Amino acid sequence: MLERIRIVLVGTSHPGNIGGTARAMHNMGLSDLALVAPRCEPISAETVSRASGADTLVHQARSVASLEDAVGDCTLVVGASARSRTLPWPMLTPRQLGARLTDELADTDSRIALVFGREDSGLTNAEMQRCHAHVHIPTNPDFSSLNLAAAVQVVTYECRLAWLEGDGDAEAPAAEPLASHQELEHYFEHLERTLVEIGFHDPAMPRQLMARLRRYTFKARPERMELNILRGILTATQRQASAAPAEPDAAPDSRHHGPHADS
């Protein structure tokens, strides 16, 4: 189970935090590390020193340009959040996250990404909206600042605790695999194009429409087959919209025979 949990660091600026994260992961039995657009040299003397023998994880880590590249194959993406957002998102404590792991990873094709943001500003709202849920460590509200590696340690500890407490009798896999993050992103792009084409969505005045649709879809946890059905509906909608004849600007519709219709 632990092998299918990926730690993703976004925009890390201090190499010591990468090393400290590797140490925290190795302590808890995790080994899959991805670095998204790091703002420092990932492998340095400080990295190795802070890793305290776990620097192999840093050498094996994938370094990618975007969050999408890091989580595309994952079926559950959880972003670490230290503050409330303008649009509420499903929120978990580390303990609640741990309790979900056995079911989430029952299918051997499932992957989970735990995403941690920049030391100075965390994850952007756009990045948070690409996560199914947010995890928040309930620190002292009078002093909530938490070192990046320490935050990773808390969350990965709960992952290990859940693994140790599991009885090994994982539930049977779902009839169909869940849609991956990459498949969901392709769906959202397709959905937005379709809504624009039929005049339902104006990108110049979005009013959080796509963010709300993301949140709704993430709550539903669609299977791959279900997502394919939805995309088929979108394709049919686009086809019908492009084939529909343009309505005349002025001539009255002779089919309307209400009390105010022309005689």
Side-chain angles (χ1 to χ4, degrees):
M1 185 178 81
L2 298 177
E3 293 175 352
R4 290 183 282 126
I5 300 174
R6 179 176 303 149
I7 299 299
V8 180
L9 303 184
V10 179
T12 311
S13 59
H14 300 294
N17 284 331
I18 297 176
T21 293
R23 179 179 182 178
M25 292 173 60
H26 203 23
N27 284 156
M28 298 301 134
L30 282 71
S31 58
D32 189 353
L33 174 62
L35 307 175
V36 177
R39 295 179 290 170
C40 64
E41 180 57 45
I43 302 176
S44 67
E46 187 176 0
T47 309
V48 174
S49 175
R50 287 283 305 278
S52 298
D55 49 291
T56 301
L57 271 64
V58 182
H59 288 282
Q60 294 175 345
R62 287 193 304 140
S63 187
V64 296
S66 70
L67 180 59
E68 308 301 328
D69 295 333
V71 303
D73 62 337
C74 295
T75 51
L76 177 68
V77 181
V78 180
S81 175
R83 62 184 188 276
S84 61
R85 306 285 166 160
T86 55
L87 181 62
W89 220 255
M91 184 71 74
L92 304 170
T93 64
R95 185 64 49 88
Q96 291 169 331
L97 172 64
R100 288 181 56 170
L101 294 183
T102 300
D103 288 344
E104 292 288 347
L105 294 171
D107 189 327
T108 55
D109 290 331
S110 297
R111 296 286 185 278
I112 291 178
L114 305 179
V115 185
F116 297 82
R118 302 156 189 84
E119 294 96 332
D120 52 354
S121 58
L123 296 168
T124 66
N125 284 334
E127 289 164 344
M128 294 301 289
Q129 289 173 6
R130 278 160 174 73
C131 300
H132 294 85
H134 300 167
V135 61
H136 175 70
I137 299 172
T139 53
N140 176 4
D142 295 330
F143 190 69
S144 59
S145 177
L146 195 62
N147 174 265
L148 174 59
V152 173
Q153 186 78 80
V154 171
V155 176
T156 55
Y157 166 75
E158 293 295 342
C159 294
R160 184 168 185 81
L161 200 63
W163 174 69
L164 290 172
E165 293 178 348
D167 58 10
D169 295 327
E171 293 183 4
E176 290 288 337
L178 294 174
S180 71
H181 188 274
Q182 185 178 57
E183 289 165 339
L184 284 166
E185 287 303 314
H186 290 162
Y187 164 71
F188 290 132
E189 292 170 5
H190 193 177
L191 176 61
E192 184 167 19
R193 286 197 309 271
T194 304
L195 294 179
V196 171
E197 288 176 21
I198 65 176
F200 188 83
H201 174 48
D202 180 3
M205 299 182 64
R207 300 185 184 278
Q208 293 190 323
L209 173 65
M210 292 309 301
R212 292 182 183 277
L213 290 174
R214 276 179 173 275
R215 182 177 61 173
Y216 174 79
T217 305
F218 283 148
K219 286 180 182 178
R221 306 299 308 284
E223 296 174 355
R224 183 172 296 152
M225 180 61 70
E226 293 170 335
L227 205 66
N228 288 339
I229 292 171
L230 291 174
R231 293 201 63 180
I233 294 171
L234 293 177
T235 298
T237 301
Q238 290 175 303
R239 189 180 300 119
Q240 289 294 320
S242 63
E247 295 184 1
D249 292 334
D253 190 339
S254 60
R255 294 172 297 177
H256 294 170
H257 299 297
H260 300 291
D262 294 335
S263 56

